[in-house]
Amino acid sequence: MAKVGETDWNFGGKGSHWLPQLWGTEAVAWRTDKWTPEGGVPSYGDLWKDGGENTMMGRPHSMMLGAGLYMETIGELAPGDVKRAYKSEEDMKDVWSKITKFCIDRKANVKKFWNDADGQKNGLMQEDVIMGQTWDGPILALKGEGNPVQYQAPKEGALAWVDGLAMPKGAKNIDQIYAFLEFSFRPENGGLTANLTGYNSAVIGADAHLSDASKKNFAEAYPGDALDNLFAWPAEPTWYAQLRTEFRDKFVAA
């Protein structure tokens, strides 16, 4: 995670201007009282399967990426195509035109689109959603409250992100900023942050301060080799984000 700062936040060779703080994933969540994944491990493909009309939710652009990873496993995309889409506009158009068609053809499965944590919680608990592609934090928070939900990395790999801290040029109260950083990066506070949010701390040693419930949720969310199979979201060129928006809008409007 620290490498992200060296590669994406190192301006003019002056070193990293960014600190990793929290990380998490987007993967598959479901109502345990209504569905069980075959073999105990879900797939992004479960969201798009035949007979799943009006059962699932997701955030449009990332559920499309998840669909692409599934398509690589069934031969509708070549292995590595989803990452190839980041290389050039031509590659992006080639890969995402196929993903968009796949998702539009199966759009009847979509019950709702979410755009925040509450939308994910409400979908599973109040709006009859059975499964979805979601963030880890909201679902693990529901699980920690005793609700019949599960969150787990799929066969194709959970989509991983990392949030960090940066200080704006011209910031005031510099001493207080560094005091806050020092406080945030104490292992006990990294563990506390993870316990309260359902996300994971980037602070070394924070795992020693996780609650038993957090440790259990983490182990169940990332069983086996799941942590070795994460799909880390690459940095997005401006043209990529623009084209993705066009494909997303086409899917949503279909």
Side-chain angles (χ1 to χ4, degrees):
M1 294 180 192
K3 185 179 178 182
V4 174
E6 291 296 332
T7 56
D8 297 323
W9 292 77
N10 184 348
F11 308 115
K14 297 179 180 179
S16 176
H17 287 62
W18 177 90
L19 285 169
Q21 184 188 30
L22 285 174
W23 70 275
T25 58
E26 191 170 307
V28 177
W30 67 92
R31 283 286 298 257
T32 57
D33 55 342
K34 297 182 178 181
W35 182 71
T36 301
E38 184 178 352
V41 181
S43 165
Y44 292 124
D46 292 328
L47 307 179
W48 306 96
K49 63 185 178 184
D50 293 340
E53 291 80 4
N54 213 35
T55 61
M56 68 96 156
M57 66 177 176
R59 179 173 56 167
H61 74 267
S62 51
M63 67 194 300
M64 294 175 77
L65 191 149
L69 292 176
Y70 169 67
M71 292 169 67
E72 289 185 7
T73 71
I74 59 174
E76 295 197 21
L77 288 178
D81 264 358
V82 172
K83 285 192 174 180
R84 177 170 67 86
Y86 288 86
K87 291 184 177 180
S88 70
E89 294 186 40
E90 291 73 20
D91 287 318
M92 169 66 167
K93 291 176 181 178
D94 176 48
V95 173
W96 274 71
S97 61
K98 298 171 185 174
I99 293 175
T100 302
K101 182 180 186 304
F102 177 93
C103 293
I104 288 175
D105 288 347
R106 295 158 180 79
K107 194 184 176 187
N109 285 21
V110 179
K111 188 172 184 64
K112 67 169 288 184
F113 293 122
W114 58 260
N115 59 13
D116 58 21
D118 286 339
Q120 298 166 62
K121 292 179 178 180
N122 293 337
L124 286 171
M125 302 311 301
Q126 301 175 21
E127 298 172 316
D128 297 322
V129 169
I130 295 176
M131 64 185 73
Q133 188 172 320
T134 72
W135 296 332
D136 45 358
I139 311 309
L140 294 179
L142 286 175
K143 183 181 176 184
E145 295 167 359
N147 293 294
V149 297
Q150 181 61 287
Y151 175 91
Q152 188 175 332
K155 301 172 184 177
E156 300 84 6
L159 310 179
W161 53 265
V162 56
D163 280 349
L165 299 172
M167 183 168 62
K169 184 177 181 180
K172 300 178 180 180
N173 304 320
I174 303 299
D175 290 344
Q176 288 87 344
I177 290 173
Y178 278 98
F180 173 73
L181 291 175
E182 191 277 331
F183 176 86
S184 298
F185 283 80
R186 295 176 192 167
E188 63 270 24
N189 292 328
L192 177 63
T193 302
N195 291 334
L196 292 175
T197 63
Y199 298 119
N200 311 302
S201 177
V203 178
I204 294 174
D207 54 332
H209 299 275
L210 294 178
S211 66
D212 289 342
S214 292
K215 291 178 181 178
K216 181 175 183 293
N217 285 345
F218 188 88
E220 292 180 352
Y222 308 104
D225 64 350
L227 291 178
D228 296 323
N229 193 35
L230 296 176
F231 180 94
W233 255 302
E236 296 176 355
T238 300
W239 56 261
Y240 181 95
Q242 293 172 341
L243 285 173
R244 185 183 66 184
T245 297
E246 294 177 12
F247 284 115
R248 179 202 66 192
D249 290 348
K250 184 177 181 181
F251 167 50
V252 171

